[in-house]
């Protein structure tokens, strides 16, 4: 069964304290791994797509990396505005050409000033 | 920047009543999805829609659920006879092609009394 597991469930950081969020996945034939940010009461906001092991993407203080079994979202010198829930999702290989997303439970990040 | 819009933001309905959730996907997108998120749980795939027909549906999407694209802009999710366990956030998502990330609306919070 295709699965996505994120850890930790919650992470509290001081402003400027760098850290990493983990996303482990089990899927037969990865088509894409996605990172989204979700603020309270809002929908997931797209951050990155990764397709193959070794790939890296960066955006401001965020950097996403991918191996054959997991992905990391590295946050460098976070600011309070980075506080949000970060969701990892994989694109299912079955179901035709579209591919619905399978989500993890997310990591709730709190950054204190 | 174009957005996926969903209405209403909050819907309160008596158990057994029909409810229709509405979405306006991004205008040049061709693939449409509904997901739901029960409080404290993962975002779960419900159904995908392309070329005016359902492409894939999950086990959650039983005979009580239906989707429709009644015109060139709207995409609706109907629940025929709501149950208490249908209470959740419902997200609409779309993308132009399966190799692009899905973009989400801010959801409709459905509360069944």
């Amino acid at each position: 069964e295709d699965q996505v597991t994120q850890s930790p469930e919650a992470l509290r950081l001081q402003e400027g304290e760098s850290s990493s969020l983990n996303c482990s996945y089990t899927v037969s034939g990865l088509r894409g791994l996605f990172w989204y940010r979700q603020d309270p009461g809002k929908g997931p906001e797209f951050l990155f797509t990764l397709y193959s092991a070794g790939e890296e993407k960066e955006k401001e203080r965020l950097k996403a990396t991918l191996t054959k079994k997991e992905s990391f979202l590295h946050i460098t010198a976070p600011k309070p505005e980075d506080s949000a829930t970060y969701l990892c999702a994989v694109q299912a290989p079955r179901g035709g050409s579209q591919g619905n997303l399978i989500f993890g439970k997310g990591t709730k990040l709190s950054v204190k000033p | 920047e174009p957005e996926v819009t969903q209405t209403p933001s909050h819907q309160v309905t008596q158990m057994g009543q029909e409810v229709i959730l509405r979405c306006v996907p991004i205008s040049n997108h061709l693939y449409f999805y509904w997901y739901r998120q029960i409080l404290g749980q993962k975002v779960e795939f419900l159904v995908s829609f392309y070329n005016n027909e359902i492409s894939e549906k999950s086990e959650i999407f039983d005979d009580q659920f239906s989707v429709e694209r009644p015109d060139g802009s709207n995409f609706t999710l109907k629940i025929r006879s709501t149950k208490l366990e249908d209470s959740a956030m419902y997200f609409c998502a779309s993308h132009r092609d399966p190799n692009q990330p899905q973009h989400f609306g801010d959801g409709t919070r459905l509360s069944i009394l």
Side-chain angles (χ1 to χ4, degrees):
Chain A
E1 182 184 339
D2 300 332
Q3 279 196 323
V4 177
T5 303
Q6 291 188 247
S7 61
E9 289 186 13
L11 182 61
R12 303 179 82 168
L13 299 174
Q14 287 296 125
E15 184 172 2
E17 180 187 0
S18 301
S19 189
S20 296
L21 282 52
N22 177 263
C23 171
S24 299
Y25 63 90
T26 307
V27 65
S28 51
L30 180 70
R31 293 180 56 196
L33 184 141
F34 300 82
W35 283 98
Y36 285 85
R37 170 188 170 130
Q38 187 176 27
D39 292 299
K42 299 287 187 179
E45 176 188 348
F46 171 71
L47 293 173
F48 303 110
T49 310
L50 301 164
Y51 292 106
S52 56
E55 191 174 357
E56 299 182 352
K57 294 270 178 76
E58 278 190 74
K59 180 180 177 180
E60 295 180 359
R61 295 176 292 283
L62 300 177
K63 178 179 173 181
T65 62
L66 181 65
T67 73
K68 288 187 178 178
K69 293 183 180 180
E70 57 191 350
S71 177
F72 291 93
L73 185 66
H74 307 277
I75 302 177
T76 302
K79 298 183 178 183
E81 53 261 42
D82 294 322
S83 298
T85 296
Y86 290 85
L87 302 176
C88 173
V90 297
Q91 192 167 24
R94 63 183 185 279
S97 61
Q98 289 83 20
N100 52 282
L101 295 176
I102 302 168
F103 280 88
K105 285 192 77 172
T107 293
K108 185 174 181 180
L109 175 66
S110 300
V111 182
K112 301 298 182 186
Chain B
E1 188 172 324
E3 293 180 338
V4 175
T5 57
Q6 291 186 241
T7 54
S9 56
H10 190 191
Q11 174 81 46
V12 181
T13 302
Q14 291 288 332
M15 187 172 59
Q17 296 295 306
E18 176 183 286
V19 66
I20 297 176
L21 310 183
R22 302 180 192 280
C23 169
V24 179
I26 295 173
S27 63
N28 64 348
H29 286 187
L30 303 173
Y31 297 82
F32 313 112
Y33 304 81
W34 283 102
Y35 293 83
R36 80 171 185 191
Q37 186 176 31
I38 295 171
L39 188 64
Q41 298 187 25
K42 299 182 181 186
V43 176
E44 301 173 286
F45 167 75
L46 292 178
V47 66
S48 59
F49 192 87
Y50 170 71
N51 201 25
N52 283 319
E53 61 183 21
I54 290 173
S55 308
E56 188 181 4
K57 56 185 180 181
S58 72
E59 300 83 11
I60 303 167
F61 194 90
D62 61 22
D63 292 343
Q64 294 301 311
F65 290 87
S66 62
V67 289
E68 195 177 36
R69 187 153 163 84
D71 53 43
S73 58
N74 290 283
F75 180 50
T76 62
L77 174 69
K78 184 192 315 188
I79 309 176
R80 235 177 302 279
S81 178
T82 49
K83 302 188 268 276
L84 293 175
E85 53 265 37
D86 294 327
S87 296
M89 282 290 285
Y90 287 80
F91 293 107
C92 173
S94 69
H95 55 183
R96 178 154 179 81
D97 72 67
N99 295 318
Q100 297 296 316
Q102 294 176 29
H103 293 269
F104 285 76
D106 281 339
T108 293
R109 180 176 299 282
L110 179 63
S111 301
I112 307 300
L113 304 179

